[in-house]
Amino acid sequence: MSSTAARPPVKPPVVQPGTGNNIIVNPCQRLNPILDHVRNVGKEFGDIVSDFQVGRTTGVLFLSLKYHRLHPEYIHTRIEKLGHSFNLRILLLMCDVSEHQEPIRELTKTCLINNITIMVAWFPEEAGAYLSTYKQFEHRPPDMIKERVDKDHLSILRTALTSISKVNKTDVETLRTSIGSFAEIASTPSSRLLSLPGFGQVKVRRMKDAFEKPFRNQA
Amino acid sequence: MLALLPFHKSILEDIHDPATSDFVLLARGLGLRRIVCTLMKIYDSPQSLTLLLNASPDEESAIGEELGVMGCRKPGLRAVGYEMGRKDRQDLYNQGGLVSVTSRILVVDMLQSDIPTELITGIIVLHAEKVTPLSLEAFIVRLYREKNKIGFLKAFCDEPEHITSGLSPLRTILKELQLRTVHIYPRFHEDIKKSLAERRADVIEVYPHLTESMKDIHTATVQCMTTTLAELKRSNTTLDLDDLNVDNAYFRSFDAIVRRQLDPVWHKVGPKTKQLVSDLATLRRLLTYLLSYDALAFHAYLETIIASNTTGAGGGQKQHQSPWLLTDAANIIFQVAKRRCYTLSKKKLTFPSADDLDPAEDEEAWAALDEIEFGAGAGRRAEKEKEKEKEKKWLPEGMDPVLEELPKWETLAEVMEEIENEMLRFESMGMSSSFTPGSNTVLIMTSSTRTSNLVSEYLESMDASAPPGQKGRKMMQRKLRSYLWWKSKLSGQKGDGRPPSRLPEKVGHVLDVGDAAQDEGVSEALKRKDRERVERQQNRRRVRGGAANASVSTRGKEKKNEVTAVGEGSMKDEADDIAEFLMTHGTSAAELLSFDDSGPPSLTAFDEDIARSLDAPEFDDVYGLLAPQQTVVVRSYSDDSDDMMLAEIQPRFIVMFEPNQDFIRRIEVYRSSSPGLGVRLYFMMYRNSSEEHKYLLGLRREKDAFERLIKERGSMLMPILEERRSGSNDAMIKTISSRIAGGRKELNKEPSSVIVDVREFRSSLPSLLHASGLVIVPATLTVGDYVLTPDMCVERKSIPDLVSSFNSGRLYTQCELMSVHYKQPILLIEFEEHKSFSLEAVSDMKSYVKPTGKYPQKKPNNGPADPDGPSAPSIQSKLVLLTLSFPRLRIIWSSSPYATCNIFADLKLNNPEPDPSTAISVGAEDDAERGAGVNAAAEELLRSLPGITAKNVHYVMSKVGSVRELCELGLEQVQDILGVEPGKTCYEFMHKSSRKKW
């Protein structure tokens, strides 16, 4: 349990897991219907402590709530066996019962103690997609979910100014063309702003609030 | 001020005692606002603090106004808004008096002890029907009762129909508000009956019959509804759809019923069911429009329905056509609706013989018409010449206008005549208005502003000498003209794909606006002026009292005079010219178009002119001249403020153009509270129509609701309001429990607490957490939404939040911050109760959040193909990426706020309590004034600048006061704050003048 860690012991007939581009499946999951829905990545069976190994440091345990209802102790033995292996430990939960509140609550607590992250899937397709996505994203930088840094000046200006409510892209164009730089816009008096097309009292007040009011109000 | 009737007084006697708490349920229209205001006036004193809860901004101002009239002016009712600082609020509460406050602010103030809860004299809750166990009001009451046992709580409600959800709805509300007494006053209550029966209004009921063609459409529509319902039932056999019958389908609440039934499975029902549900709404709308729209607008609306149904969003053939469109009944609807407007024929036919037209020929005729009139390729000039040739008739050849008018218009004309005669009779009898109360203003009430516009337009252009059914001919012809213009646009768009100036859908709904724009200039201007005047009137009401009863629409002649009186500027001439021009020339499409272009600017200028003259002191000279008998006020039904309107106008003649039971009661009350006033009410309702049916059903529903509530009150088990045990007891039991290895831990006597970000009070979770026995500590948190233990920090995301914060990248930053500052960062994904607990629903949502082309390089470096196919919901893959980036991040999947509560309680077990001051300072170390109020707009703006990241934003805020100050700094100074490289980027961004470069 202890030192097997991410790489299970090397046994002759088994392919060395954790290196290739395949998801390594624990033979005990052979009949799991979600395997059919793991697409676009290879699968191979291997002797691992988790149910699926979807990356060098990522292990997944699979649990169907229906099964959990019948054998509540099962998952605890599996978690115990898992020990401290893997950096990211996932419990893929198949929510296939209608009374899910209690088990999820209990599992949430268990997993928090054991440093396991829960992912819930409702359909086999979804669960399969999770597995394949984990494998595919193994080396993916998190750019997709990061705040996008737009490089060109115009788009930064647009994002900045439209963050003020009521200001839209057209207004940004108006401001840019008739006033100029960001600093100039910041110091434009209200009367000048009001004279621009599309700028009413409210919009100008919002802009002034954002530009000139102090960040912190002493309340 | 409005007088109180005996039953008002007896209600007040029942509830005025500040020692008791009550729930008052009054039938709508019987003057609830009057009671509330009187009650508030009783409690108004600087020594007491009375809070008004749940009032909408409109109600707030109306109540404040009414209180002002009643004499509590200084300081009267004061409203607490978001702008008010914490200190100001504290002062305000300490001053006492009447304060109206929103629930969200009050909750935070109560939790932070900014408001002396134990000193509150009482709370008045409006709209008590909205109180649910999840609502903030319930939370407020719990907090209030925790500290204050002697203060009163008066809850009011005038919508018994809404108290229906759940097994014993009344009890739920009572329990949440911790009340024990309910007073129910339906219209059939003894006192009310007695008070109102004494003086009955003189009611003349007029039941115009629907025309034959309207009847046909009506039956056909009902038939379509039945078919659609049957279809809906057939495709969802598992659902309990007993409530779904045509009767219920007349009401808007029907949609809510359907949604409630379908919500748990909404993600599973196919697009077909969704289509059916929306079809029902369309059909219901058709029924109302049939009775309130003029024939042309109705026809145009139908055409837009067809247009939007035949082509899908992508322009191609739509997948799921509405089934009702394919029925025979629908065919009848379309045919008859067209026949109400005009008939088409190659040779001249007289119009009633249109029945023998066959549809195919019809279509051909249309095609021909389109070609003739707006020839696809022909230039405008040629077109114009063509038009000129047959200038005498601007109508396309072979088109015979039928222009059926709504029967109510005719009736209205008769009624108006009768009223006029009646007035003359009064005058000849020497009863001048100075002796008898009330004015001769005629009040016409309609159900919507659209109808009231239509009615006033009709009255303006009415031709009294015309034969019955033709009186509005002029207006209808005008409408036909604009309809033709619109039609040409519709076909023009289809033809050459020219960018549309107005979308057909839009036209269908706001056709009247379009119509108005193309009306003759004078009436347009007048209408605008009238609108302005109504507004002014409302503002000035207090000051001017009865004198301001100037008309909303006046009869023809006065109108012209007024215009000359007002519009002295050249603008008026211009507007007149345009009008003249339009009247004399036949209007071709091109001309209409050009008018449309040139019209608005001149009119706005004209408007300004009027506004100026309105501002001028000679307001009275201009508008005070009209005698009340010449004025007709057309208004639509609104809420309790109608009472005030009645009291001010004091009309003797009221025409109810559409039935409305609330307003009937208002008239009863009005009549009873102004002695000596003879009120005559004309009540119009189509015989055997959906209108009649709806009205009667509405009456019955209200009566049933009351009966049910009275019954429930009779058999209700009064909730025993348990004393809330202070949290320490729980904690004690918890800590000495033998299941925890005894003695290993220090005895923890602190109550179990959770620190909650103030922005989170929008959701119901804090309230539920409090209800489950946790102590809620509101704080302005920089990192996370909830802090459970010193190590655990939770970021809550509802599903829509989750989607949007993934898209904006905000979630990544938040998780990053949590990971830096807490050992156990937790993301809470919270689904809604009664909604499906599944991410599938998200894939629906996603499709319109951002349609396509989001992941250009989705393929991983080593993966062979697109990971999860086109159908895979991307929210899942983003979650995967999130967990991969933050292996320590835990996710809580919670199916409802209730489940979250349990999970939180679980997680807090045996863990030390969080410390608010540390939680506030977390992530805000370099922020000198942490915890102070935040100018969110400025912070957001600052964050979006380049070089400024989530990490240094607080430091920047502590260094510079505002964005503008930052802009005024030199390059070195900016670099001092941000560092060399980011400082340079930021400075360059701010000072790059885009004009030169771009």
Side-chain angles (χ1 to χ4, degrees):
Chain A
M1 143 180 170
S2 52
S3 59
T4 43
R7 251 162 273 187
V10 189
K11 279 179 191 169
V14 179
V15 193
Q16 172 80 15
T19 48
N21 295 330
N22 293 344
I23 291 181
I24 301 155
V25 183
N26 192 323
C28 71
Q29 296 291 326
R30 195 182 305 116
L31 298 176
N32 194 332
I34 69 167
L35 279 181
D36 296 339
H37 300 284
V38 178
R39 303 238 168 81
N40 304 326
V41 279
K43 285 167 281 194
E44 60 189 71
F45 290 103
D47 186 11
I48 46 172
V49 281
S50 61
D51 287 336
F52 305 95
Q53 188 171 341
V54 290
R56 198 180 281 272
T57 56
T58 312
V60 177
L61 285 179
F62 178 83
L63 180 66
S64 144
L65 281 182
K66 238 182 217 159
Y67 186 82
H68 183 64
R69 203 161 50 178
L70 296 171
H71 307 278
E73 74 299 329
Y74 160 80
I75 191 66
H76 295 281
T77 57
R78 290 306 305 271
I79 291 175
E80 206 174 302
K81 241 192 247 161
L82 201 60
H84 293 286
S85 38
F86 300 115
N87 183 21
L88 173 59
R89 300 135 62 97
I90 307 279
L91 176 65
L92 185 56
L93 211 56
M94 180 68 108
C95 183
D96 44 12
V97 293
S98 50
E99 293 303 309
H100 45 71
Q101 278 204 15
E102 255 327 277
I104 288 190
R105 180 177 70 87
E106 170 213 321
L107 286 169
T108 305
K109 173 134 206 216
T110 315
C111 289
L112 206 72
I113 293 169
N114 292 297
N115 297 327
I116 296 173
T117 306
I118 297 184
M119 298 299 275
V120 182
W122 284 265
F123 306 99
E125 296 85 359
E126 208 182 352
Y130 270 131
L131 286 182
S132 31
T133 321
Y134 265 113
K135 184 66 198 172
Q136 286 166 332
F137 283 6
E138 190 184 350
H139 304 292
R140 171 76 69 87
D143 294 337
M144 187 169 89
I145 52 169
K146 255 190 186 163
E147 277 183 75
R148 272 175 282 284
V149 188
D150 294 316
K151 282 285 175 278
D152 71 308
H153 176 253
L154 182 63
S155 50
I156 301 176
L157 187 72
R158 194 182 292 140
T159 348
L161 290 176
T162 47
S163 75
I164 305 169
S165 74
K166 293 261 174 344
V167 178
N168 58 27
K169 284 176 193 163
T170 326
D171 298 330
V172 175
E173 283 306 295
T174 318
L175 287 170
R176 190 174 64 80
T177 47
S178 54
I179 295 178
S181 75
F182 185 81
E184 280 162 351
I185 294 171
S187 55
T188 312
S190 310
S191 52
R192 170 94 175 83
L193 287 177
L194 270 174
S195 67
L196 296 173
F199 283 74
Q201 294 277 4
V202 183
K203 197 180 285 178
V204 171
R205 189 161 5 100
R206 290 276 160 78
M207 283 186 63
K208 284 288 138 189
D209 277 356
F211 276 116
E212 287 175 8
K213 288 261 181 75
F215 294 119
R216 298 282 186 246
N217 55 354
Q218 275 70 37
Chain B
M1 183 187 151
L2 300 163
L4 291 173
L5 293 180
F7 77 89
H8 287 140
K9 283 180 191 146
S10 76
I11 294 176
L12 279 167
E13 252 157 48
D14 282 346
I15 61 164
H16 78 280
D17 185 1
T20 61
S21 297
D22 315 79
F23 180 32
V24 179
L25 199 60
L26 185 68
R28 233 182 353 272
L30 289 178
L32 184 66
R33 186 170 295 167
R34 228 179 271 211
I35 294 177
V36 173
C37 288
T38 321
L39 201 64
M40 287 178 80
K41 193 182 169 234
I42 296 174
Y43 300 135
D44 178 33
S45 127
Q47 272 80 48
S48 64
L49 172 61
T50 310
L51 301 175
L52 178 69
L53 215 59
N54 249 356
S56 69
D58 286 347
E59 284 171 329
E60 230 167 46
S61 60
I63 289 176
E65 204 172 285
E66 204 159 328
L67 279 171
V69 176
M70 292 168 114
C72 40
R73 251 162 250 207
K74 278 176 202 155
L77 180 74
R78 283 148 308 162
V80 173
Y82 292 103
E83 305 80 37
M84 210 178 246
R86 194 172 161 187
K87 195 105 192 93
D88 297 337
R89 290 207 301 266
Q90 277 174 352
D91 288 346
L92 185 68
Y93 295 138
N94 286 329
Q95 276 166 23
L98 303 173
V99 177
S100 168
V101 56
T102 59
S103 308
R104 238 179 95 199
I105 297 181
L106 187 59
V107 163
V108 176
D109 283 351
M110 278 179 145
L111 285 169
Q112 289 182 322
S113 310
D114 282 343
I115 184 166
T117 310
E118 57 291 344
L119 297 180
I120 296 175
T121 322
I123 299 181
I124 294 175
V125 183
L126 299 181
H127 300 293
E129 74 275 0
K130 287 188 191 142
V131 174
T132 64
L134 289 178
S135 66
L136 277 178
E137 289 74 32
F139 191 12
I140 289 174
V141 171
R142 240 181 294 124
L143 288 171
Y144 175 54
R145 284 305 178 204
E146 220 168 71
K147 288 195 181 159
N148 187 333
K149 296 264 184 286
I150 48 166
F152 66 81
L153 183 99
K154 314 272 183 198
F156 295 91
C157 164
D158 61 357
E159 291 183 50
E161 298 95 328
H162 286 241
I163 310 184
T164 48
S165 62
L167 276 180
S168 46
L170 185 59
R171 190 172 158 263
T172 319
I173 293 181
L174 287 184
K175 184 171 154 253
E176 290 311 323
L177 292 174
Q178 309 202 2
L179 294 172
R180 310 208 48 155
T181 352
V182 205
H183 303 279
I184 301 180
Y185 297 99
R187 171 65 180 83
F188 50 83
H189 189 275
E190 190 65 23
D191 282 353
I192 299 176
K193 242 163 136 179
K194 226 183 338 176
S195 305
L196 294 181
E198 274 172 21
R199 300 172 42 80
R200 290 191 169 278
D202 173 12
V203 182
I204 297 172
E205 296 187 10
V206 190
Y207 294 105
H209 283 276
L210 294 174
T211 61
E212 280 307 314
S213 44
M214 284 169 86
K215 246 181 234 163
D216 289 347
I217 299 180
H218 185 263
T219 5
T221 317
V222 173
Q223 211 175 325
C224 287
M225 276 176 114
T226 323
T227 333
T228 313
L229 264 178
E231 188 82 10
L232 186 64
K233 282 186 188 171
R234 201 165 49 229
S235 53
N236 294 285
T237 42
T238 52
L239 298 172
D240 164 35
L241 295 167
D242 284 346
D243 268 354
L244 308 186
N245 50 38
V246 176
D247 272 0
N248 275 334
Y250 278 139
F251 289 93
R252 188 164 308 151
S253 60
F254 178 75
D255 290 353
I257 298 178
V258 175
R259 279 311 294 257
R260 204 171 329 132
Q261 292 267 349
L262 290 175
D263 250 345
V265 288
W266 190 247
H267 64 286
K268 281 187 203 148
V269 304
K272 193 174 160 217
T273 309
K274 290 177 190 174
Q275 178 75 46
L276 287 174
V277 172
S278 74
D279 280 351
L280 277 175
T282 315
L283 285 167
R284 189 182 51 236
R285 234 174 289 137
L286 272 186
L287 276 184
T288 16
Y289 290 173
L290 172 68
L291 301 183
S292 58
Y293 278 25
D294 55 273
L296 284 163
F298 185 72
H299 180 50
Y301 180 70
L302 282 175
E303 282 185 329
T304 55
I305 290 183
I306 300 176
S308 60
N309 248 294
T310 42
T311 49
Q317 192 72 17
K318 204 172 172 186
Q319 285 297 313
H320 301 273
Q321 279 228 357
S322 305
W324 70 271
L325 279 174
L326 306 173
T327 59
D328 285 346
N331 196 30
I332 294 178
I333 298 179
F334 297 129
Q335 291 301 319
V336 179
K338 190 191 267 184
R339 214 183 300 143
R340 285 175 73 202
C341 306
Y342 49 78
T343 54
L344 293 172
S345 56
K346 288 271 149 78
K347 40 189 167 46
K348 289 258 169 192
L349 287 170
T350 44
F351 42 81
S353 63
D355 300 32
D356 42 12
L357 266 178
D358 90 40
E361 188 191 339
D362 224 299
E363 287 308 312
E364 250 178 64
W366 257 119
L369 163 73
D370 283 345
E371 203 142 293
I372 293 169
E373 212 186 352
F374 320 105
R380 179 136 297 153
R381 185 162 301 168
E383 197 179 276
K384 218 170 181 173
E385 274 165 15
K386 234 182 203 170
E387 281 297 318
K388 283 250 165 71
E389 275 168 22
K390 46 174 180 169
E391 183 168 63
K392 200 176 97 252
K393 280 210 129 200
W394 47 266
L395 272 177
E397 220 166 331
M399 183 190 226
D400 289 316
V402 177
L403 302 179
E404 181 179 285
E405 291 175 20
L406 293 179
K408 267 190 188 173
W409 296 352
E410 176 64 28
T411 325
L412 183 66
E414 282 164 17
V415 165
M416 295 305 281
E417 205 180 323
E418 189 180 316
I419 291 175
E420 240 165 277
N421 292 338
E422 198 78 346
M423 282 180 199
L424 281 175
R425 200 168 58 85
F426 271 137
E427 246 157 63
S428 62
M429 281 163 69
M431 294 163 67
S432 88
S433 53
S434 54
F435 293 113
T436 50
S439 68
N440 277 334
T441 307
V442 180
L443 179 67
I444 301 178
M445 296 301 289
T446 62
S447 60
S448 65
T449 8
R450 191 184 198 286
T451 326
S452 48
N453 286 342
L454 192 66
V455 167
S456 42
E457 201 184 331
Y458 172 73
L459 287 176
E460 274 161 24
S461 62
M462 190 176 68
D463 178 12
S465 54
Q470 304 265 316
K471 288 189 173 145
R473 194 76 178 173
K474 219 160 88 194
M475 176 178 85
M476 288 304 279
Q477 277 170 351
R478 209 160 53 218
K479 283 195 186 298
L480 179 61
R481 213 144 48 173
S482 54
Y483 167 78
L484 287 176
W485 178 77
W486 170 73
K487 183 85 184 176
S488 74
K489 299 293 279 187
L490 193 65
S491 58
Q493 272 163 38
K494 273 186 197 151
D496 49 37
R498 194 161 49 118
S501 63
R502 286 197 291 160
L503 289 171
E505 291 83 2
K506 192 179 137 210
V507 176
H509 296 293
V510 244
L511 198 66
D512 67 324
V513 180
D515 286 345
Q518 292 144 29
D519 280 346
E520 22 176 350
V522 179
S523 70
E524 167 66 18
L526 265 172
K527 228 179 277 159
R528 280 187 190 219
K529 187 190 63 191
D530 284 342
R531 227 174 293 138
E532 279 229 49
R533 193 149 39 136
V534 173
E535 275 162 29
R536 299 220 122 239
Q537 213 175 349
Q538 275 159 356
N539 293 339
R540 296 172 136 258
R541 210 179 255 166
R542 284 292 72 65
V543 199
R544 292 173 47 81
N549 305 333
S551 70
V552 167
S553 102
T554 47
R555 310 250 174 91
K557 259 180 196 160
E558 283 89 32
K559 191 150 290 182
K560 288 265 156 71
N561 297 341
E562 259 181 73
V563 170
T564 13
V566 181
E568 279 158 21
S570 57
M571 287 309 158
K572 180 234 152 207
D573 296 333
E574 197 179 322
D576 267 354
D577 283 348
I578 293 169
E580 209 114 305
F581 168 77
L582 265 173
M583 301 255 258
T584 47
H585 297 249
T587 324
S588 74
E591 277 160 349
L592 271 168
L593 204 67
S594 70
F595 169 60
D596 200 39
D597 289 337
S598 69
S602 70
L603 285 174
T604 35
F606 187 50
D607 248 11
E608 272 165 28
D609 201 33
I610 291 167
R612 235 178 293 126
S613 68
L614 280 174
D615 282 336
E618 63 265 14
F619 181 85
D620 266 330
D621 301 346
V622 180
Y623 293 109
L625 290 172
L626 281 174
Q629 53 264 32
Q630 282 154 349
T631 60
V632 177
V633 179
V634 187
R635 283 187 63 126
S636 55
Y637 302 117
S638 88
D639 60 349
D640 274 355
S641 40
D642 278 349
D643 285 339
M644 210 52 163
M645 190 255 319
L646 280 174
E648 269 157 22
I649 302 180
Q650 295 226 318
R652 259 185 288 177
F653 299 97
I654 301 172
V655 181
M656 286 179 70
F657 197 69
E658 271 138 316
N660 179 314
Q661 55 158 328
D662 305 348
F663 198 76
I664 293 181
R665 291 189 187 140
R666 282 184 220 288
I667 293 174
E668 284 177 327
V669 173
Y670 157 66
R671 155 98 181 175
S672 304
S673 55
S674 33
L677 177 72
V679 181
R680 175 172 291 179
L681 171 68
Y682 292 89
F683 180 83
M684 288 191 193
M685 189 159 74
Y686 287 118
R687 173 87 63 203
N688 294 330
S689 66
S690 63
E691 191 175 76
E692 184 182 22
H693 190 86
K694 220 161 120 179
Y695 173 67
L696 296 178
L697 206 60
L699 282 178
R700 201 168 71 220
R701 268 161 57 104
E702 199 210 40
K703 192 163 148 278
D704 287 350
F706 268 119
E707 275 168 1
R708 204 178 45 238
L709 291 176
I710 291 172
K711 219 162 164 191
E712 192 191 331
R713 181 177 62 173
S715 62
M716 184 166 42
L717 301 170
M718 275 299 168
I720 295 177
L721 310 174
E722 52 181 309
E723 300 273 306
R724 199 178 131 80
R725 282 176 301 162
S726 53
S728 56
N729 291 350
D730 280 349
M732 187 69 105
I733 294 163
K734 195 176 83 186
T735 30
I736 56 175
S737 160
S738 60
R739 301 182 65 179
I740 308 162
R744 192 167 54 84
K745 226 180 218 169
E746 291 286 302
L747 218 64
N748 182 5
K749 283 205 190 102
E750 261 179 274
S752 212
S753 67
V754 173
I755 301 166
V756 181
D757 187 27
V758 283
R759 282 159 283 214
E760 268 297 301
F761 280 91
R762 254 171 300 185
S763 71
S764 53
L765 187 55
S767 163
L768 288 176
L769 287 174
H770 182 261
S772 70
L774 294 168
V775 174
I776 308 291
V777 185
T780 314
L781 297 180
T782 317
V783 180
D785 292 333
Y786 298 85
V787 180
L788 302 182
T789 71
D791 291 338
M792 268 184 227
C793 174
V794 178
E795 178 71 41
R796 190 189 77 101
K797 292 280 174 216
S798 63
I799 300 303
D801 270 358
L802 186 72
V803 174
S804 71
S805 56
F806 259 132
N807 283 343
S808 69
R810 202 173 158 72
L811 185 59
Y812 186 88
T813 328
Q814 283 168 334
C815 291
E816 207 172 23
L817 275 173
M818 280 203 293
S819 307
V820 170
H821 295 286
Y822 288 93
K823 261 192 216 152
Q824 288 198 305
I826 299 173
L827 171 67
L828 164 65
I829 301 179
E830 193 173 82
F831 292 77
E832 261 171 80
E833 182 152 48
H834 306 307
K835 294 245 173 99
S836 59
F837 176 47
S838 158
L839 277 180
E840 273 305 287
V842 180
S843 59
D844 277 359
M845 203 183 313
K846 187 200 62 181
S847 63
Y848 53 82
V849 169
K850 253 187 189 171
T852 43
K854 235 187 328 174
Y855 317 117
Q857 35 120 348
K858 185 155 195 169
K859 282 177 205 169
N861 350 359
N862 50 356
D866 193 271
D868 23 26
S871 65
S874 72
I875 190 91
Q876 274 97 335
S877 38
K878 286 184 177 177
L879 269 174
V880 166
L881 202 54
L882 190 74
T883 48
L884 281 169
S885 327
F886 303 99
R888 273 196 302 134
L889 182 77
R890 305 284 164 259
I891 301 179
I892 299 180
W893 301 76
S894 161
S895 53
S896 76
Y898 287 106
T900 316
C901 268
N902 291 335
I903 294 175
F904 274 16
D906 232 27
L907 296 182
K908 280 190 64 63
L909 213 62
N910 301 336
N911 278 317
E913 297 305 323
D915 176 33
S917 52
T918 354
I920 293 171
S921 60
V922 157
E925 285 86 1
D926 36 3
D927 186 3
E929 294 158 71
R930 57 189 169 227
V934 187
N935 180 357
E939 193 178 326
E940 199 68 16
L941 180 65
L942 182 66
R943 269 175 198 277
S944 59
L945 297 182
I948 290 178
T949 61
K951 289 179 193 100
N952 63 17
V953 63
H954 293 287
Y955 179 68
V956 178
M957 285 200 286
S958 66
K959 282 288 178 190
V960 283
S962 67
V963 179
R964 188 171 169 182
E965 274 180 44
L966 183 69
C967 293
E968 282 159 3
L969 295 179
L971 176 61
E972 282 85 48
Q973 287 161 299
V974 178
Q975 281 177 332
D976 274 353
I977 298 173
L978 292 175
V980 179
E981 206 34 56
K984 189 160 169 267
T985 334
C986 185
Y987 182 83
E988 277 175 0
F989 166 75
M990 289 192 296
H991 292 276
K992 180 166 170 186
S993 181
S994 39
R995 263 190 299 189
K996 289 163 206 156
K997 170 109 197 272
W998 300 85

